[in-house]
Amino acid sequence: MQRYAIIGHPVSHSDSPQLHNAAFAAHGLDCTYEAIDIDPAELAERIAELKSSGFAGFNVTIPHKETIIPLLNRLDEGARAVGAVNTVVHRDGVLVGFNTDIQGFQTLIAPYAQSISTSVVALLGAGGAARAALHVLTTAFPPKRVLILNRTIERAENLASAFSTSGTPIVPESLFQDGLQDLIKTSTVIINTTSVGMKPYTDASPLEDVKFQKNQVVIDLVYTPRETALLKSARNAGATVAGGLEMFFNQAAESFRLWTGKEMDVKKMKEMMEIG
Ligand code: ATR
């Protein structure tokens, strides 16, 4: 039997155990997948434990996607370009980091490629998920400009400078400022990569008092709940909205392929999880 997991803090909101266990069963694989809550202060020792107890791989979520990097033996090209890891493969005592958020995010935003490449994009957040999003945006669908809006401005500045050679103008901004409404008004596409609005704090929105417009596309990487407070207010204003479910399934399918060499039947998995 092979063991897999998702590590995070918090991690109880994740639907990954349900999805991967269903996919293992569908392929007749003798594997299990569990959620493991790891306090940031204990990350190094807990990763060593996962390694010694023979876990074959794991997903990495908030807030470990960047801090895990020094604990890994190698990074694949995508994870290195992004500067964050959401999938680890463990083989023969070697931990290799990948970033399947790249494929997940690409699939999620593909229908909006035209809007993205002709407009200003407001990216909310500057963590690991924002890094993957910025990598995809600047390489696949370069917008006219990207505004990085983050609670901690230094983190937004660091992310902007990490991508300063991308060819896309990137402007760091505070998420808490008087000019927020105007900044959002100038952005046609708004993408939330923060955890604000995720279960159990579903009343929260990273853009609480902001008004949206009909011509805007608002994308939220959060998938629990399926419609966040942010998306609800954008939809009520007539904007086009998309939740994080498509990204969730596609990043999972890519992780599954890396671990098992097999293709996850995403359509079947969606039906099985009754969210088709
Ligand atoms: P991940 O790797 O999944 O992106 P992360 O690195 O912990 O997770 O990043 C979480 C993001 O959500 C960050 O941009 C964080 O803002 P800070 O850089 O200021 O920490 C943002 N975030 C989390 N909780 C938030 C809150 N209550 N309000 C605003 N932003 C928040």
Side-chain angles (χ1 to χ4, degrees), residues 61-63 65-66 125-130 150-152 155 175-176 193-196:
T61 190
I62 286 178
K65 285 180 179 176
E66 291 163 81
N150 200 47
R151 174 177 61 180
T152 312
R155 233 175 150 195
L175 190 54
F176 301 120
T193 74
T194 77
S195 50
V196 182

Side-chain angles (χ1 to χ4, degrees), residues 25-106:
H27 281 88
L29 295 169
D30 186 18
C31 302
T32 62
Y33 187 108
E34 62 205 90
I36 302 178
D37 197 307
I38 297 185
D39 190 280
E42 295 172 0
L43 186 62
E45 61 192 89
R46 300 292 302 278
I47 294 299
E49 265 173 39
L50 291 182
K51 206 171 166 180
S52 62
S53 51
F55 274 79
F58 48 94
N59 282 129
V60 184
T61 190
I62 286 178
H64 306 309
K65 285 180 179 176
E66 291 163 81
T67 46
I68 194 156
I69 290 177
L71 307 173
L72 303 176
N73 301 98
R74 271 196 291 119
L75 294 185
D76 100 310
E77 204 182 318
R80 192 172 312 117
V82 168
V85 163
N86 82 324
T87 304
V88 174
V89 176
H90 178 202
R91 250 177 235 134
D92 306 323
V94 176
L95 296 180
V96 185
F98 295 83
N99 195 311
T100 70
D101 282 340
I102 297 173
Q103 290 84 356
F105 185 70
Q106 244 160 6

